[in-house]
């Protein structure tokens, strides 16, 4: 099949999507909190008060049922669409953008105790000399201080009187 000479590629690409956070209309608190985080990122590095971003995500563990076909020149590797489900895992990630440091843990469960254990690891092992760790968390676990069960998990993991 031949193209007509005056046929051109379509400039629109409806299969491509770009995502970003669009502030809800008339929600000054959302914009204020977003600007507060952006201001925090612009502050100079302070080893006594590090800024650590934290996120977690569940991951499905998959295995191939059939062996894939190796790639060849001008042909990508081909993988069969059938798979075997091998359970779930949880990935915890702490990232310090101004220092370029990241710490990741993979856990079997996604519970408050794993979250609390990662916070203990940050406070006791990674930043023992820091007077305060400024933690940036998404909506999944935030705000920590308003969730009594999360506070209880932190106390259980850190002991009765956590140092931070």
């Amino acid at each position: 099949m031949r193209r007509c000479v005056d046929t051109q590629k379509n400039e629109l690409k409806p299969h491509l999507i770009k995502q970003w956070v669009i502030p809800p209309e008339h929600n000054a608190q959302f914009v204020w909190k977003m600007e507060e985080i952006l201001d925090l990122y612009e502050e100079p590095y302070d080893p006594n008060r590090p800024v650590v971003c934290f996120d977690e995500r569940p991951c499905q563990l998959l295995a191939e049922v059939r062996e894939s076909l190796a790639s060849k020149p001008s042909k990508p590797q081909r993988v069969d669409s059938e798979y075997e489900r091998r359970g779930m895992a949880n990935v915890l990630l702490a990232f310090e953008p101004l220092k370029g440091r990241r710490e990741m843990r993979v856990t079997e469960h996604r519970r408050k105790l794993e979250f609390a254990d990662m916070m203990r690891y940050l406070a006791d092992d990674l930043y023992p000399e820091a007077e305060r760790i400024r933690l940036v968390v998404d909506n999944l676990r935030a705000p920590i201080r308003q969730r009594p069960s999360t506070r209880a998990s932190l106390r259980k993991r850190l002991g009765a009187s956590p140092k931070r």
Side-chain angles (χ1 to χ4, degrees), residues 54-68:
F54 180 82
D55 205 358
E56 61 183 347
R57 108 170 242 196
C59 290
Q60 194 173 187
L61 304 175
L62 306 175
E64 291 182 2
V65 175
R66 291 179 193 85
E67 194 172 323
S68 59

Side-chain angles (χ1 to χ4, degrees), residues 34-95:
M34 184 174 62
E35 288 175 348
E36 186 178 40
I37 295 295
L38 294 174
D39 289 344
L40 182 64
Y41 288 151
E42 288 182 349
E43 287 184 16
Y45 179 70
D46 181 358
N48 293 319
R49 300 176 68 228
V51 175
V52 179
C53 304
F54 180 82
D55 205 358
E56 61 183 347
R57 108 170 242 196
C59 290
Q60 194 173 187
L61 304 175
L62 306 175
E64 291 182 2
V65 175
R66 291 179 193 85
E67 194 172 323
S68 59
L69 301 174
S71 61
K72 295 179 182 176
S74 77
K75 283 195 176 184
Q77 177 184 11
R78 288 160 299 206
V79 179
D80 190 63
S81 60
E82 190 176 343
Y83 60 87
E84 180 182 321
R85 189 161 187 258
R86 298 261 177 105
M88 296 289 291
N90 188 45
V91 178
L92 304 163
L93 177 71
F95 175 63

